[in-house]
Amino acid sequence: MKKVLLGAIAILLGGCYTPMNNSGVATTKPWIEIPGKRVDFDGKQYDSCVRFDLRFWPQEAAERLDLQKSCITACCWRSEQSEIVLDFNEKFDEEMEKYGHARKYTPGKITLKVTHSNLVNVTKVKTTPQGVIKNNGLVKLSYKEVRDEERIEQLAKQRAYRAQQAYQEATRTYEEPAPAASISQTRPAVSAQPTTPARPTPAPTQTGETLAKSILQRQFGAQIDNYFYQMNKTYLKQGALFILSSRLLLASQQPDGTYLITCHAKARTGIDEKHLNPSDFPCGVWLVDVQAAMVLPQDKKARQISK
C-alpha cells in the first residue's frame, strides 16, 4: 500500500510545472498562477486564488469575455469558483442584432475545472475540450464570419436617417440670424437682412464623392492610420502577424447632399505566414458635409478613432 501511495505521489509530482513558486503551491501548467492562498490554524491550505495567464488567437475573441470574472485579469478563489466557462459565442446574437454581422467561434465554450491536492500541494486544471490550451497559454480558435445582409441594409438606413436629422439640426443652428441691435444704440442702423456665411463649393474637377473622401482623409486619415498601427502592435505582442491592405472608403450620397462614408480595410492575420486568414476590419462610419468641409463620426468605432 505504501509503495502504491508513493507511486501516485511521484506521478503527480512528475506532472507539475513549477513546484513551490506560486505562494508555495505547485501547478501543472505554466499558465496557472496562484497569487494567494488561505490556510487554517495548522498551516494547511484550504483555499487558493487562481489566475489563468492566457492569450487568445484571434485576439478579438477575448472581447467576448468578462476577463475579470473569467479569472484572466484577476484571480478567483477556488472555493467560490472552481469551474470557469469561457463562452466565446455568448454575445453572438447581440452582435448580429447590433451590427448585422458577427464571428462564430469554434470551440464556442471552454470549461476550466480547478482542483487541488493537499497531499502533494499541487493545483491543476482540467480543460474541456482537452488540449485546446497550449502549454504556453495560447488559446487558438477557428471562426467564420456570419452576415445578415438584410439587417446590415436596415442598419445603414437607420444611420443615414439619424445622420440626416443631425445635419439638419446643425444647419438650423448654423444659419440662425444674430439678435437685432438694441434700439438704444446710437450707431447708424445696419441692414437687418441676415446673411449666411459663404461656404466653399466643391472644386469643378472633383466629384462630390471624391471630395467627401478627400475631406475625410485630410481630417481623420492620421487617426485611422494610428488605429491600425496600434492594432498591429497588439498582434505583434501576441506573436502573430497582421498584414493590412489599403483602406476602402464606400460613400453614399444622402438626400440633403451630404455623404455617408463607411471605412474598412482588408487584412490577413495568422500565427505565421503559412496560416493566414482573410479578415475585414471596420474603421468607422462617417458623415461628410462637402460644402461645410465638416466630418462627423456616426458609430462607436468612428467615435473611438476620432478621440
Side-chain angles (χ1 to χ4, degrees):
M1 181 65 184
K2 184 177 180 181
K3 290 182 178 179
V4 172
L5 181 60
L6 290 174
I9 294 174
I11 292 173
L12 285 170
L13 288 175
C16 292
Y17 159 65
T18 171
M20 309 301 287
N21 74 332
N22 290 305
S23 300
V25 180
T27 60
T28 56
K29 297 292 182 182
W31 47 269
I32 304 173
E33 295 184 355
I34 314 294
K37 64 179 180 179
R38 293 167 175 166
V39 297
D40 59 21
F41 291 112
D42 296 326
K44 295 180 180 179
Q45 181 194 147
Y46 67 89
D47 201 0
S48 57
C49 203
V50 181
R51 189 185 83 85
F52 308 123
D53 185 17
L54 300 178
R55 299 177 293 118
F56 298 91
W57 176 261
Q59 61 181 5
E60 291 82 14
E63 297 175 5
R64 293 273 183 89
L65 304 176
D66 185 324
L67 297 178
Q68 183 171 349
K69 291 183 178 179
S70 299
C71 314
I72 294 172
T73 58
C75 69
C76 305
W77 289 104
R78 178 166 42 84
S79 61
E80 300 171 0
Q81 195 175 357
S82 63
E83 185 170 292
I84 297 90
V85 178
L86 310 181
D87 190 343
F88 298 98
N89 291 328
E90 181 179 8
K91 298 180 181 178
F92 174 79
D93 292 335
E94 178 185 332
E95 291 183 12
M96 287 295 294
E97 176 67 20
K98 189 173 182 179
Y99 305 113
H101 61 88
R103 288 181 176 182
K104 193 83 168 181
Y105 289 102
T106 302
K109 290 183 180 180
I110 297 175
T111 302
L112 303 169
K113 186 173 180 59
V114 182
T115 57
H116 178 78
S117 171
N118 278 326
L119 180 64
V120 289
N121 193 28
V122 174
T123 295
K124 64 178 181 178
V125 176
K126 179 182 178 182
T127 61
T128 307
Q130 189 175 3
V132 70
I133 302 178
K134 305 299 182 185
N135 198 52
N136 61 2
L138 177 64
V139 181
K140 187 176 181 182
L141 307 171
S142 61
Y143 67 91
K144 63 178 180 179
E145 294 279 354
V146 181
R147 296 176 63 86
D148 183 344
E149 298 298 339
E150 184 176 342
R151 179 58 178 162
I152 291 173
E153 183 179 355
Q154 182 184 41
L155 291 171
K157 290 179 179 178
Q158 292 176 1
R159 286 196 299 267
Y161 175 77
R162 289 195 297 267
Q164 182 179 359
Q165 295 296 105
Y167 172 76
Q168 289 175 350
E169 180 63 28
T171 302
R172 282 194 296 269
T173 303
Y174 180 74
E175 294 183 346
E176 184 178 346
S182 172
I183 299 177
S184 62
Q185 288 180 330
T186 57
R187 293 187 178 183
V190 296
S191 173
Q193 181 66 31
T195 59
T196 302
R199 295 181 177 182
T201 56
T205 57
Q206 289 183 303
T207 65
E209 179 179 328
T210 302
L211 188 55
K213 293 179 181 179
S214 177
I215 292 172
L216 174 60
Q217 292 273 24
R218 185 167 64 249
Q219 294 191 20
F220 288 101
Q223 287 95 323
I224 294 173
D225 286 342
N226 184 63
Y227 167 71
F228 285 118
Y229 173 71
Q230 296 300 328
M231 184 179 293
N232 181 57
K233 285 176 62 177
T234 304
Y235 270 78
L236 288 175
K237 288 181 181 179
Q238 300 289 343
L241 294 178
F242 178 81
I243 303 175
L244 184 70
S245 67
S246 58
R247 295 191 305 269
L248 301 174
L249 302 177
L250 304 178
S252 60
Q253 188 173 18
Q254 306 305 298
D256 59 3
T258 60
Y259 287 86
L260 200 64
I261 299 181
T262 301
C263 174
H264 67 103
K266 298 291 185 181
R268 290 182 298 155
T269 58
I271 296 295
D272 52 48
E273 293 183 356
K274 295 181 180 179
H275 302 88
L276 293 175
N277 298 313
S279 299
D280 190 293
F281 291 90
C283 42
V285 178
W286 311 80
L287 180 70
V288 181
D289 181 349
V290 173
Q291 290 188 334
M294 179 176 65
V295 181
L296 297 173
Q298 294 299 298
D299 68 347
K300 181 180 179 180
K301 182 67 65 178
R303 288 189 290 271
Q304 174 191 346
I305 292 173
S306 64
K307 289 181 180 179

